[in-house]
Amino acid sequence: FENCDMIGISNTNSAQLSSVIYSPDNGVLDENNAFVNNYIRNGSYGIYIEGDNTSNRENGLILESNKIENSYYWAVYMVYQDGPRIHNNEIITNSSYATSYGLYLNACYNGVEITKNKIFGFRSRGIFLNNSNATSTEPMLIANNFVQLEGTANGRAIYTDDGQHQKFYYNTVDVTNTNTSTAAFNTFR
């Protein structure tokens, strides 16, 4: 998918079926998909992509140079992916939802790259890596991203939970969130 305008409904719900791009776990893997230079707007999720399970993950996902704007709940949600590349995207929202997320990866493994993204306006998590492990030979790279977090929820600009071999370099965080428990970077294991 390249140079497309993908406009979903503007809504205030968290239903997966209200996503602009929706690829659920249905027993069939959607592999080697590339979303390049697209405008993705509205929806409960901007992009919702889910592989089958931890032993049957999707490969080859590329999100590059997209503008993902005004999803209500989470902008990018991906689960059970192997080596996705998320590069040079602008991910912004005007959502008032207290626990809005910019980029959420769960059970994504091996050579994941999250680089040069600009993430603005989210209230709970800018980048959240949950149970996403890599290996010493195929580490995860999170580099040169800008994350701005606002609102009043207990937020984390960059949050990693139960991850190994994750390499963080040259990321910039701007926290305007007023909750005193909010953190620029949080790792939990």
Side-chain angles (χ1 to χ4, degrees):
F1 301 88
E2 189 169 356
N3 298 316
C4 298
D5 286 344
M6 302 178 196
I7 314 296
I9 7 174
S10 181
N11 64 46
T12 56
N13 72 60
S14 59
Q16 299 160 353
L17 288 173
S18 296
S19 303
V20 178
I21 297 169
Y22 181 61
S23 176
D25 165 27
N26 59 6
V28 177
L29 297 179
D30 295 327
E31 297 194 306
N32 301 310
N33 287 309
F35 296 89
V36 179
N37 200 37
N38 298 295
Y39 179 55
I40 301 162
R41 184 173 180 178
N42 297 332
S44 54
Y45 296 79
I47 300 172
Y48 182 102
I49 295 179
E50 186 175 28
D52 194 26
N53 56 53
T54 55
S55 59
N56 195 22
R57 298 182 300 270
E58 295 175 338
N59 293 292
L61 177 63
I62 297 171
L63 300 179
E64 185 172 331
S65 300
N66 298 291
K67 183 172 185 177
I68 304 165
E69 183 177 57
N70 294 340
S71 54
Y72 177 70
Y73 190 51
W74 294 358
V76 177
Y77 173 95
M78 62 178 67
V79 179
Y80 306 132
Q81 302 293 311
D82 228 2
R85 193 174 87 209
I86 305 154
H87 176 72
N88 198 40
N89 297 286
E90 184 176 333
I91 304 170
I92 60 177
T93 192
N94 63 3
S95 175
S96 61
Y97 191 69
T99 55
S100 58
Y101 286 34
L103 184 58
Y104 174 81
L105 280 72
N106 184 24
C108 294
Y109 302 98
N110 303 326
V112 174
E113 292 181 13
I114 303 169
T115 57
K116 291 189 173 182
N117 298 288
K118 296 174 187 162
I119 301 171
F120 296 94
F122 293 90
R123 297 172 180 271
S124 184
R125 306 288 186 268
I127 298 174
F128 185 11
L129 308 171
N130 187 45
N131 190 32
S132 292
N133 292 306
T135 64
S136 59
T137 56
E138 289 187 278
M140 182 180 292
L141 176 64
I142 304 95
N144 297 306
N145 298 289
F146 176 84
V147 179
Q148 186 265 335
L149 192 69
E150 60 186 47
T152 58
N154 183 353
R156 305 287 183 263
I158 299 175
Y159 184 28
T160 178
D161 187 352
D162 195 24
Q164 298 176 13
H165 301 287
Q166 297 172 337
K167 310 243 181 225
F168 293 86
Y169 299 108
Y170 309 110
N171 296 287
T172 302
V173 172
D174 176 26
V175 176
T176 60
N177 181 306
T178 58
N179 187 304
T180 57
S181 296
T182 292
F185 181 82
N186 188 182
T187 183
F188 183 78
R189 177 133 179 130

